[in-house]
Each structure stands twice: as structure tokens, then as C-alpha cells.
Amino acid sequence: MFKTAKVHDVAKGEDTIQGTGVLVDRMWPRGVAKSDLAYDEWFKDVAPSPELRKWWNHDEDRFDEFARRYKAELDDNDSDELAQLRALADATLLFAAANRTVNHAVVLKEWLEEHLRK
């Protein structure tokens, strides 16, 4: 089972990691010291490409199209990191986006759950 959690909440103790804590952002989150975040893995290769992230720019009106494009990237992603993530039975996907419901970790969670059913 996969869960999403904002790194800032986890670092402050306002949310907890379930299973393996996996940071799924390409860059380290601003305002969080590495020593303040208890995580197990940092899988940069599962994050959206820089081009897609820049195109989207966290614009809620573009979220559906972003999700479609990001899932297509994931379909074509043959990285070891994505394979390791898919193999986890229980993990918390850690993200730094301000919006807790409109972000790439939510899309990644949905994609993982769809592919685990297959």
C-alpha cells in the first residue's frame, strides 16, 4: 500500500511514514535539513522530467494533462529506482509541493496502484 506525505509535515512530526519512506522529488526540499527528515530512499528518477515539471508549473488548471503526461513518462521509465519502488509492499511517497492533493506524488501513487493490480 502506498501513502503520500509532505516532507515538511513529516520533518515536524505532524505526519508519519508508513513502511519505507521514499523521497520522490528530483531536488532536495527547501527548508528541510537532511538531518530532520527520516527517510529510507531518495528516488530522483521517478520524479517528472524537468521539462514536464517546468511546463506544468504547479498550475491546477493543467493538472489533468500533467497527470496524463507524467503517467506516460512513468510507462516509459525503465529505471532501477522505479523497479525498486514498484517492488515495495508498503511505502510513503514523500513530496515537497505546497498543494497536498495536486502534486506529482499523488499521480505517482495512482500509477503505482494501477500497475500493482495488473
Side-chain angles (χ1 to χ4, degrees), residues 47-100:
S49 66
E51 297 80 19
L52 180 57
R53 184 179 53 80
K54 288 175 187 171
W55 171 84
W56 177 39
N57 198 31
H58 295 276
D59 181 345
E60 288 189 40
D61 292 335
R62 291 184 170 184
F63 185 67
D64 290 340
E65 179 62 17
F66 164 78
R68 187 191 67 72
R69 291 182 186 190
Y70 180 37
K71 286 179 180 181
E73 284 188 355
L74 291 167
D75 288 339
D76 293 338
N77 185 335
D78 63 352
S79 73
D80 290 339
E81 290 180 355
L82 186 57
Q84 290 175 51
L85 185 57
R86 288 181 69 177
L88 294 174
D90 195 20
T92 300
L93 308 176
L94 302 167
F95 65 91
N99 190 316
R100 287 172 173 76

Side-chain angles (χ1 to χ4, degrees), residues 16 27 46 94 116 118:
T16 58
M27 298 179 296
V46 303
L94 302 167
L116 289 176
K118 290 181 179 178

